[in-house]
Each structure stands twice: as C-alpha cells, then as structure tokens.
C-alpha cells in the first residue's frame, strides 16, 4: 500500500500541505501484525482453556489426554514463535472453523 | 350567482389568508396539522452540520467547524474502510480558522465488545494521543462491508470549559472473518474548544468513508 498525501477536507479532496504531510507521517502507527496475531491466538487459547476448566473441579479426575492438551495450549506462545506459525494456528475452513489440530479437544 | 366551485389553479392568485386554512394562531413558530389547527411546531431533532464522503484513497478525513455554540450535543455517524492493516482512529480538531489536530495524550476511553466467535474484546487507555475506535481491521479491501461502521454522541465539544465526552457503538470486521462489536465511550481531557474531528487509520489510507455530523437541537 502507498500512503497518499491527500485529505478529504469538509468533503473536498485536496493535496495535504507541508505541515499536514508531516502530521500524516507522525500519526502513522503501523500495527505489529505478528503481535496482533499472537494476541488473537492467546484469546482463542484462553477460551479453549476456560471451556475445560470445569473438568478440574475437585470431585472430578481430569484425564491425562485433557491434561496434555491443556498443557500444549499453554505452551503455544513458547512453541510457535513466528508469523508463519501463527497463520497456521489461525487458519480456518470455509465454515469459519479453526483447522489446526491443536485446537481439537481430545 | 352562487359559486360552488373554484379552479384553485386558475381562479386564485396570491397567498391564502391563514385564517382560511385552519383555526388557532398562525405564526413563524406554528405549523398547520391535518386537523386544520395551527399548533406549536415540534422542537428537537437532528440538524446536519457537516460531513464528508470519499471513494478514493485519502490519508485522513477532516470535518472542521461543525461543532459550535449552537448545539451542546452532536451525533457523528460514519463508516470507513482501510486499504491496509490498521486501527480506526479519531482525533478532535480545535475550533477556529486554523484547526489543529489534537494529538496530546488527553484521550481516555474504554470500550467493551464481543467478536462473532464468542470471544470478548476490549479497547482502553487512560492517556492515549488518539481515540482508537477499533482494532484488527486487517487488509480490508472489500467494499460490500465497511471495515468500520458506527456512531458516537459527543457532548460539549465546542466548550472551552468542559471535558469532552463521547459514547457510542460500532462494529468492525477483521481479516480472520470475525465481526467485532464494541460499545463504550471516553473523554477528551482538555478544555480546548473543538470544532471538528479527524478520521484516519493507524496505517496508510482511508479507502472509503462516509461521515456525517448532526447537531442535536437543544430543546
């Protein structure tokens, strides 16, 4: 994408002045996409964990498979560390469902 | 000879006397209702004060000199689409002949929301240099659904003695397919009299935008 130095000023498009160009540049704050994706993954991870929190109540014995799965969810930030890995974790099918196997509860 | 019919398109010229139209007192503050009586005109409502619309890339949309002493409260209703990954941003602009974008750390806001996958979302800051209206608007280039759409009520923006407050709701779309809806509000913690707003994204261009500002008639 290329930043254009134009302003829609009270419904009239015009070229930005020198001062406005400087302002446009100063207000540009590109987001850290990898950071955003990791935050999204953490959000999904936390939701998955909370959905199985009830299995840890005192009158229930959590299965080893669930324990291992929950630990793997907790380890995601340590084990998946680049944007390509984040993209795989966030991949969805046409129905909007997450496709990475790590999200599947055993 | 009795006249029982008059062709009003030919037989009458000039302005009809208001007494012939209905009962009650006709004046600049009354209107004629269907029951043929003059009654006090309804008050309140929205008065359009300015806006902007673009379908081509611009770095920012500024709507200046729309806030004034005429109205205490304003409705800003808009939709925006970005051409890059970004967050939707609002800045206030000072009133007067040389409006300046207010970029000091005077924005305090908190908005809560949900995404369409059932997760919770938050946007908050106590001392931001801008009002971040939404996040996660990734590469939105489809025009059939704006990346951001919503409204805010803004209280006393023109005042030079009040902290400006705003509250509203909006929905945005993220590239992961989620829709995220937020409600909440915030403050502009400065007594500078503001005349308008600046709309932009955190990165690159506003690809498409329609914004309208209305004054809420004091009544």
């Amino acid at each position: 994408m290329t930043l254009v130095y134009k302003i829609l000023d009270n419904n009239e498009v015009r070229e930005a002045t020198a001062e406005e160009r400087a302002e446009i540049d100063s207000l540009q704050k590109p987001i850290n996409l990898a950071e955003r994706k990791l935050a999204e993954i953490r959000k999904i991870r936390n939701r998955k964990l909370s959905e199985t929190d009830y299995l840890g109540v005192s009158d229930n014995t959590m299965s080893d498979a669930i324990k291992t799965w929950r630990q793997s969810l907790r380890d995601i930030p340590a084990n998946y560390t680049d944007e390509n890995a984040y993209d795989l974790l966030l991949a969805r099918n046409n129905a909007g469902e997450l496709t990475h196997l790590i999200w599947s509860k055993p | 000879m009795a006249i029982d019919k008059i062709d009003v398109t030919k037989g009458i010229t000039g302005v009809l006397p208001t007494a012939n139209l209905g009962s009650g007192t006709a004046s600049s503050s009354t209107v004629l209702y269907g029951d043929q009586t003059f009654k006090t005109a309804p008050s309140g409502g929205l008065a359009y004060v300015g806006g902007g619309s673009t379908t081509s890339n611009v770095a920012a949309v500024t709507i200046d000199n729309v806030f004034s002493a005429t109205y205490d409260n304003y409705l800003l209703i808009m939709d925006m689409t970005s051409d890059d990954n970004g967050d939707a941003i609002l800045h206030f602009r000072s009133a007067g002949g040389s409006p300046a974008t207010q970029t000091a750390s005077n924005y305090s806001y908190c908005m809560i929301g949900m995404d369409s996958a059932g997760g919770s979302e938050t946007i908050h800051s106590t001392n931001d240099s801008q009002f971040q209206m939404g996040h996660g608007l990734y590469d939105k280039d489809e025009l059939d659904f704006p990346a951001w759409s919503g409204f805010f009520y803004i209280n006393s923006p023109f005042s030079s003695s009040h902290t400006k407050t705003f509250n509203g709701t909006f929905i945005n779309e993220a590239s992961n397919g989620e829709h995220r809806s937020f409600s909440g509000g915030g403050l502009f913690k400065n007594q500078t009299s503001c005349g308008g707003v600046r709309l932009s994204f955190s990165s690159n261009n506003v690809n498409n935008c329609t914004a309208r500002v209305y004054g809420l008639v004091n009544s």
Side-chain angles (χ1 to χ4, degrees), chain A residues 1-11 13-14 20 23-24 27-31 33 36-37 40 43 47 92, chain B residues 52-53 57 59-64 83 87 101 115 117 119-121 129 136 138 176 178 180 198 202-205:
Chain A
M1 304 300 174
T2 303
L3 180 62
V4 299
Y5 290 96
K6 293 182 178 179
I7 292 179
L8 180 71
D9 184 8
N10 283 17
N11 214 23
V13 176
R14 61 170 175 76
E20 288 167 337
E23 180 179 89
I24 290 168
L27 294 178
Q28 288 284 296
K29 296 176 181 174
I31 62 174
L33 200 53
R36 290 291 175 92
K37 288 178 179 177
E40 182 68 17
K43 190 178 71 172
R47 192 187 316 154
R92 293 174 185 266
Chain B
S53 179
N57 283 352
V61 174
T62 57
I63 305 171
D64 288 320
D83 75 340
D87 302 328
T101 305
D115 60 52
S120 60
E121 302 280 348
S129 59
Y138 302 153
N176 65 359
E178 285 182 358
R180 297 170 179 170
R198 179 187 191 274
S202 61
S203 179
N204 280 329
N205 304 303

Side-chain angles (χ1 to χ4, degrees), chain B residues 157-180:
Chain B
F158 191 71
S159 171
S160 56
S161 59
H162 281 75
T163 290
K164 294 86 176 94
T165 62
F166 48 88
N167 62 82
T169 186
F170 62 83
I171 185 169
N172 67 38
E173 185 173 32
S175 65
N176 65 359
E178 285 182 358
H179 299 119
R180 297 170 179 170

Side-chain angles (χ1 to χ4, degrees), chain A residues 9-52:
Chain A
D9 184 8
N10 283 17
N11 214 23
E12 295 288 336
V13 176
R14 61 170 175 76
E15 295 294 329
T17 64
E19 291 79 12
E20 288 167 337
R21 290 172 73 96
E23 180 179 89
I24 290 168
D25 288 337
S26 71
L27 294 178
Q28 288 284 296
K29 296 176 181 174
I31 62 174
N32 183 327
L33 200 53
E35 194 176 86
R36 290 291 175 92
K37 288 178 179 177
L38 180 58
E40 182 68 17
I41 289 164
R42 285 182 189 276
K43 190 178 71 172
I44 297 169
R45 186 272 309 270
N46 291 344
R47 192 187 316 154
K48 295 283 184 183
L49 287 171
S50 67
E51 286 171 357
T52 50

